[in-house]
């Protein structure tokens, strides 16, 4: 029996092999939304026309309020950076098929490890508040939900190959089983390989990825899905400059291409290894006409290592907080070969490992015009991490032997800056009720979540103070929504919501140490971040689509997740900062047309006024920061999109503007505004034998080749010396920045079969 071709089709749209239907207004950037809050989305109509390696964060860059730092043309750089209404990515909850994918401690998420873009079905972005049943403890600034495509009912597959600038290439293949007999089961499995040279400086990157999804459906409304993903990703790092270094060197501020003894910027020492195993099993059971049960168990494992170069002293350094190499120390000198000026050049390795097991379950009862939901979320996470050092020879290669891999003291102990063990348990109980009145035109919703987080962290290096810290948090989170459907096309809404974020990073509990400086971070303020938000908005859907909203957000204990290089190293350490209160106000809007003569335009924009509510204390001195503009909060952002698709020829153009952004609390340093634009051109052919709807696609990114700083990679109180409230001089400290990706050209060939 011959295999049937894999063709994704929707009534009223077109049939393609990659899921494009040309039915979403705004070229795939404005799907119909009815939620009583600010909410935007992205569908296959847009996703399939972007570079096949584009990250989830970059796919959202045209939506109102969203700013993403595209620092890699392929979207493979780990630790995607974005802001939304001035909130950083670590303040935005991220869900994939109902499971939270951010690191539950530092809240970073590498979206490139989650799913291939060929398998990504849709994105939903809630700019102000998370769902009450969302399993999140960091969604102070909103929520992003990503969903994978469902397996086809027909046996077949899809293949996509891409090549482009910087020796970029991607090979992708997916096979669908189709419906397996009368079992109600269908599934797919896919594999991809992606690689390229670094666009800036020496080195390369590559990625192996597997996706698989299986669906079992029965009855009128019951299903079980099983999602599996595996990723192995390798990147050579790129340096982040200060503003002065950017102005002096521009794109040439890079790691060294060859090794010089004592120079730790050698590119082969700066490595990121991101590995992930992801298992999610969303289940939905229709128990009766009025009762349904939802449960989503999931398991996530993420592990490294990350690596960088560092020179460490032979004598007079630190093991934890204890000096080594002097007469009074129990730890002797590191009398090893390959010394340079009293130092040893080493490869600093951070082999972190994290495992998360969880379940989120809820019961929903619908009776008449009333729907009651009650649920419980439980999660357990364990994180281990121990920095270690390996000796380098004069050629920059790791030396094996001499007790050097890793470097040990005479008593056998491994030299380390951190020996971390971190545990976290989360419980959340939530209840929500929705009442529909006036022939279902008026909807009133109220909910309450009680979130409980228990943490314990230890650092077992000698002299760590504190070596152990615990944290227990209870946060009450009420929500209220009201919406009125004027008619099937017009809706108004108002809401009041709360959200929180537990303290960010292990450094908030136990300090970091380094052989050169001893303690390099202080235990942060352990108060959770808490937000209270209000929105009012209007939405029209139909041939023309408009969504506008005004918002107000008040935050206490704003925990800014800054970062900085370990002294003398190319590895970055987290630096949590409590900046006090913050108030953010503004409005956003987006407009899109349904396809008209094959054309679909899209417009979006946001005005944001975000200010600090408190003075900031640094080194015992109070800086006059109250009322100053919050960091990473551009006043104006906007996007213009235009799509053409007649079923054969297609094209997509997107232009984005991002206003200037401050990077210090004192507003004494900022990055300039910038503009970027991307272009897609393509042609679909008729089916040729087993090749179903083959197409060729050209993607041009940053077509103006703008040279720009995309976002602040760290935050400081003041970049230059300034006076405190008492008149004392507070020394400046320069932030570092992420450099925006340059022009790129990529050609891809794809086809169903």
């Amino acid at each position: 029996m011959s295999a049937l071709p894999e063709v994704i089709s929707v009534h009223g749209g077109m049939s393609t092999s990659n899921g494009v239907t040309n039915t979403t207004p705004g070229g795939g950037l404005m799907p119909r939304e009815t939620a009583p809050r600010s909410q935007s989305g992205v569908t296959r109509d847009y996703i399939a026309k972007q570079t096949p390696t584009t990250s989830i964060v970059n796919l959202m860059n045209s939506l109102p309020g969203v700013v993403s730092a595209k620092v890699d043309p392929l979207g493979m750089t780990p630790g995607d950076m974005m802001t939304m209404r001035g909130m950083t990515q670590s303040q935005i909850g991220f869900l994939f098929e109902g499971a939270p994918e951010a690191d539950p401690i530092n809240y970073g998420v590498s979206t490139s490890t989650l799913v291939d873009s060929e398998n990504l079905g849709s994105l939903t972005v809630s700019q102000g508040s998370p769902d009450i049943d969302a399993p999140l403890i960091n969604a102070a600034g909103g929520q992003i939900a990503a969903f994978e495509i469902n397996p086809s009912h027909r046996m077949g597959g899809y293949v996509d190959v891409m090549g482009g600038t910087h020796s970029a290439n991607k090979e992708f293949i997916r096979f669908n089983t189709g419906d397996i007999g009368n079992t109600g089961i269908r599934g797919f499995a896919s594999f991809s390989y992606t690689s390229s040279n670094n666009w800036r400086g020496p080195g390369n990157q590559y990625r192996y990825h597997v996706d698989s999804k299986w669906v079992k459906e029965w009855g009128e409304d019951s299903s079980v899905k099983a999602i599996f993903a595996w990723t192995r990703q390798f990147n050579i790092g790129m340096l982040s400059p200060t503003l002065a270094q950017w102005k002096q060197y521009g794109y040439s501020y890079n790691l060294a291409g060859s090794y010089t003894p004592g120079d730790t910027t050698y590119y082969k020492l700066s490595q990121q290894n991101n590995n992930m195993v992801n298992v999610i099993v969303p289940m939905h059971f229709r128990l009766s006409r009025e009762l349904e049960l939802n449960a989503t168990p999931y398991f996530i494992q993420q592990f490294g290592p990350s690596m960088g170069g560092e020179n460490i002293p032979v004598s007079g350094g630190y093991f934890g907080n204890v000096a080594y190499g002097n007469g009074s120390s129990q730890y002797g000198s590191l009398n090893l070969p390959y010394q340079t000026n009293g130092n040893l050049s080493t490869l600093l390795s951070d082999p972190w490992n994290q495992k998360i097991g969880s379940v989120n379950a809820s019961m929903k009862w619908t009776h008449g015009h009333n729907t009651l939901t009650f649920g419980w979320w439980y999660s357990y996470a364990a994180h281990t991490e121990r920095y270690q050092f390996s000796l380098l020879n004069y050629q920059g290669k790791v030396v094996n032997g001499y007790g050097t891999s890793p470097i040990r003291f005479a008593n056998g102990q491994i030299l380390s800056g951190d020996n971390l063990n971190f545990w976290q348990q989360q419980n959340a109980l939530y209840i929500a009720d929705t009442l529909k009145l006036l022939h279902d035109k008026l909807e009133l919703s109220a909910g309450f979540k009680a979130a409980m987080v228990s943490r314990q962290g230890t650092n077992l290096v000698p002299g760590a103070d504190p070596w152990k810290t615990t944290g227990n948090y209870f946060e009450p989170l009420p929500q209220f929504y009201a919406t009125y459907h004027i008619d099937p096309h017009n809706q108004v809404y108002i809401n009041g919501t709360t959200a929180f974020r537990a303290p960010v990073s292990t450094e908030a509990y136990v300090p970091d140490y380094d052989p050169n400086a001893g303690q390099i971070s202080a235990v942060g303020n352990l108060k959770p971040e808490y937000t209270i938000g209000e929105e009012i908005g209007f939405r029209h859907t139909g041939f023309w689509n408009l969504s506008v909203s005004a918002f107000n957000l008040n935050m206490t204990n704003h925990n800014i997740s800054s970062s900085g290089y370990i002294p003398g190293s190319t590895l970055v350490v987290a630096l949590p900062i409590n900046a006090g209160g913050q108030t953010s106000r503004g409005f956003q809007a987006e407009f899109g047309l349904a396809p008209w003569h094959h054309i679909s335009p899209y417009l979006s924009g946001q005005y944001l006024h975000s200010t600090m509510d408190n003075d900031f204390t640094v080194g015992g001195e109070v800086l006059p920061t109250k009322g100053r503009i919050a960091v990473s909060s551009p006043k104006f952002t906007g996007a213009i999109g235009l799509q053409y698709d007649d079923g054969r020829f297609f094209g997509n153009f997107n232009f984005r503007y991002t206003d200037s952004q401050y990077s210090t609390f004192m507003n004494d340093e900022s990055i300039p505004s910038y503009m970027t634009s991307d272009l897609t051109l393509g042609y679909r052919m008729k089916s040729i034998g087993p090749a179903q709807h083959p197409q060729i696609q050209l993607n041009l990114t940053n077509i103006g080749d703008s040279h720009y700083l995309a976002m602040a990679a760290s935050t400081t109180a003041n970049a230059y010396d300034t006076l405190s409230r008492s008149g004392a001089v507070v020394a400046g400290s320069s932030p570092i920045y992420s450099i925006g990706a340059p022009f790129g050209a990529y050609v891809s060939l794809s086809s169903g079969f």
Side-chain angles (χ1 to χ4, degrees), residues 708-731:
Y708 64 100
L709 293 176
M711 193 170 291
S714 72
T715 298
T716 65
N718 51 299
Y720 304 96
D721 292 354
T722 190
L723 296 179
S724 68
R725 293 284 190 190
S726 68
V729 176
V730 177

Side-chain angles (χ1 to χ4, degrees), residues 117-142:
S117 64
E118 291 88 347
N119 295 328
L120 182 62
S122 64
L123 296 170
T124 300
V125 179
S126 304
Q127 287 94 341
S129 62
D131 294 324
I132 198 165
D133 60 350
L136 300 168
I137 61 168
N138 70 309

